[in-house]
Structures are given as structure tokens and as C-alpha cells.
Amino acid sequence: MIAVRRLTYTYPQRTSPALREVTWDVAEGEFVLVAGASGSGKSTLLRCLNGLVPHFSGGVLAGQVSVAGFDAVKAGPRVLSRHVGFVAQDPEAQAVLDRVEGEIAFALENAAVPPDEMRRRVEEVLDLLDLTPLRDRRLHTLSGGERQRLAIASALALRPRVLVLDEPTSQLDPQSAEDVLRALVRLNDDLGLTIVLAEHRLERIVRYADRLTYLAAGRVVADGPVREVLPRLPVAPPLVQLAGALNWQPTPLTVKEARPLAAALAGVAGVPLSAPVAPAPPAASPVLAVTDLCFSYNGQATLKNVSFSIAPGEAVALVGRNGSGKSTLLKCVVGVLRGQAGEVHVNGRPTRGRDVADICREVGYLPQNPDDLLFADTVADEVQATLRNHGLALSPDEIAAQLTRLGLDALAGVYPRDLSVGQRQRVALAAVTATRPRLLLLDEPTRGLDRAAKESLVALWRGWLAEGAALLLVTHDVEMAATVATRTIMLSQGEVIASGPTREVLTSAPQFAPQMARLFPGRGWLTVDDVLGAVGRPNLIERATTDFTDYTDFSELNL
């Protein structure tokens, strides 16, 4: 179905190729997972499959790409759109119309699908992606996760032979992600739909994929069955990390597969069964205090009497299903939206009556879509612009250090919107934290980030927390929340339904429980280090048998 031969591609005004000599095949009906670090070429490879590269992006392409019998370069996006459904990394950029049902029907209208058939297909994908209750909603009222499901529905409505998805679960809560992936599996099993999916949160996907292709520096460096390739990679999910540390064979890909091995481990003499002790709550005056906050969109209640506080040095995760009010809450705190009732205090001062710019002198706010903050010509200029807006200044060395902490030093002179979503996320984070605010509001800050980038980000946050900053983190990445958050607040339909130590909240909600909590229920273990520490083992995890970061000779790495 897909044949790529010696593909090399370089973006305009770049000297280094984004893809290098890629040769790659995908059989009809295969489900292939594409993984790799941010900037490794995953999105570029996927965009070659529907002709967006090079027809939309420009640049220089050498080699051949054949999809469904078409030469992708000669046919271009107009022809391939009938055969290749594409869901981009940023679903916000794909929308054309302003209502859910019309957006799904738009591609069908352009393809001249008869009205009766169009109606059937729209109903079919609305039901498949659980969008029926949202069919009349305006797109600007949807959450990021709802927008992501809509983009998938729009792609599926054309009934393509190939479905290409670039991080389709990055903004979905765990249950919604599971629902979407099961729907894709049904289409793959029942209709023989060929699926190529790029993703960083591999723990969600590996059980469903037939094959895993790993990219590094624009090359395919590993390609084969998931169970064989995954243990070698620096992106292994927690379950695979634990299996490597404890030498479990064969490598389990699901909690169900690992349970017999975990049961045997629990029978070893001397294994403590008690949960780790939760940290005592901070006693300092809160940096943020929210009291009985209420907000409604067009008369529909989105936040209902929300109350909580965050003390200096505290990291709080805000979790919940898509559309539960998490992003709305952050916008109310920073003043982008104004609550109809209740109070918000930052550093002891009420935010009511203050404009957003004034509040942002004390609050760093990273929205769900990083493009909302990017307007300068270079990455370094983005940081400078934030400092100028606040009447501050840093030396070039200090700005360089800020970029280095976020892994952006090599991109300082690059136009930000030419970067991947994960890289743009880090640029926006560098800008909002340049003033070192005492309170950080981060809305899905790890969207599009590989594991190494997330680990460096967590280390950076811990440094800020140690200096007295407070962090409110909206996330669907429960594995990351288990690592960094001391406390977790769970929202449902605009109400706080759980609040307390992260170990208690995440382990009490199966749909939000990390892999280790589901593998060892009732123990309070959230991370691999928790388990290894409890069984008296040092952390034996090898990040990978091969470090792909600086490879130049890949000839011996292909499986």
C-alpha cells in the first residue's frame, strides 16, 4: 500500500535534511506505529504520504513515494485526499467551517458524495467518535480533545484506504484515547484500513500496532514487530521499562500480560506491601486561591463552585475527561475569561478588575495551542519579546541558558512556526517562563514531546519548585503527572470530584491510573522507581540498548 524508496527531503532555507535515504514499506491492512524524538522526521514522513510534502511545504525532495498505487509527488494532495485520510498534529489548523456537523460534511461535499450517502456517513462517524451530542456545537466552544476527535471523524468520513494520524491522542483523556484507538482497530480489522500513526505516548498504542518504525535524525533506525523493537528504544513505556529492569521475558505489552509476572514478584519474601507515605501538605500562604468559581458558556455551566489553593513549591495536576472544564479554569485564573461568580486570588491579590497583562506579570500561562503565543521571527526573539513586554531584560548569555534548559539552543535563530508541535511547545514555555513567575499555569505542556524532552522539562520544573514557584498542570499524561505532581485535582462536568495526594487520587480512578498502579493495585505505587524501590532493587533500567541521538552510521541498526 505504501512504498518509500531512498527518500530524502530538505525544507526550504534549511541545510540539513529532515529525512535521509528513507526506504520503507507498509502492507495493505497493516497498523504501523511511527515513533521517534521530537524533530526526528515523523511528521515530515507522514506528510509525504498525502503529498503535502513537497506540494504545500516546498523544499527539495529526492526519491520515490508510492501510496495506493499513486506517485505521491506527481498526484499531489488533490488526488491523494480521496485515498489517504490525514489527521494533522494540530487539529485546530484543519478546521474550515464553524459547526461540528458541517465540518464533517465539508470534505464529502467537495468529493460530490450524494446527499443521502453523505447523511449516512456523517451519522456513522459522529457515532463512531462519540460526537453525536456535539453535532450542533460551534468549534470555538470545543475542548482540544473534542477538536481532535472531530479531525479524525472528518478524515474517516471519506472512507479512505489509508489513514495517517499524527499524534491523534495527544489531547485526549485516557478514556477518550482508548475509545478512539479501539475504533481505529475495528476499522483496521473489519475493513482492512491501512493505518500509519505517529505517537509519543506509546503505552496507549503498542498493544494495537502490528509494527513499530523508529526514526532518528531523519532515518529509519529500527523497524519490526513491536515486541522486538520496543525494548531497544529510549521511549519504552513504564511497563516495558520494568520488564527490562526485572528481566521479564517475553516483554509484556499490556498490564494483562504482565499480571502473572507481577503476582510472582509479589510473592517474593520481604516485598513490602504498604503504600509510600504521602507528603504533608504545605503550610505556606497560597500563591493561588480559587473560591467558589463559576463560569458558563452561553448559559451552559462549565465551572461549578470550584475551590482549591496552591502553596509555594507545590505542583498540582488538574485531570479530567475532555470538556470537563480544565482549560476554562486556567483561562479564568489568568483573566482571559471572567468568572460569573467566585473569587481568584494570586499572591493574595484578587484578579477581579485587573487586565490580563497585569495578571501575567505574576503568572506564566502556557495555553493548549502554543501557536497562540508565537509571533516573533526567531526562537530567541520570542523570549526577548516577553521580556520587553514586562519591561525586563536578560543578557544574551542568560537567554541562551534559558533556551539550553529547554533543549532549544540549536534552534535559537529558527522561525518558530517552522518547528514541530513539540518544539513550538517548548519555545512558548521558554517565553512564558522568561520572567520567572511564581505561578505557572500549563495546559497540556507535554503535548508533542518525546520522553527525553519530558524528563528534562520535569527536571526544570523541580528546580523552579525548589525555588518557591507553584505549578498548576492540566494534563492527560498520567504517567508524567505521577512523576511530578504532589497533589491532583479531578474535574468532572465542571465540578471538583476528587482532590488530594496524587497517589490517592490517581489510584482511586481506574481510567486515570498509571500503568504501575494498575499492575500493583492497592499498593500506592505510581512509577517504576516506586516498584523497584519497594522490591529492594536499584533502578536497573537501561534507557535503551542503543543511544540513537548522535548516530551517523545506521547500517547495523535495522532489524
Side-chain angles (χ1 to χ4, degrees), residues 194-247:
T194 303
I195 297 175
V196 178
L197 186 154
E199 186 60 75
H200 284 301
R201 297 179 191 174
L202 301 188
E203 64 273 8
R204 292 179 167 183
I205 316 292
V206 290
R207 72 178 73 180
Y208 303 117
D210 302 315
R211 214 172 95 211
L212 194 159
T213 299
Y214 190 82
L215 296 182
R219 298 179 186 263
V220 175
V221 297
D223 185 25
V226 174
R227 204 180 301 271
E228 295 178 13
V229 175
L230 194 56
R232 300 178 53 220
L233 302 183
V235 293
L239 189 60
V240 177
Q241 295 177 39
L242 183 66
L246 299 177
N247 198 29

Side-chain angles (χ1 to χ4, degrees), residues 189 198 312 349 445 544:
D189 290 343
R349 296 176 58 200

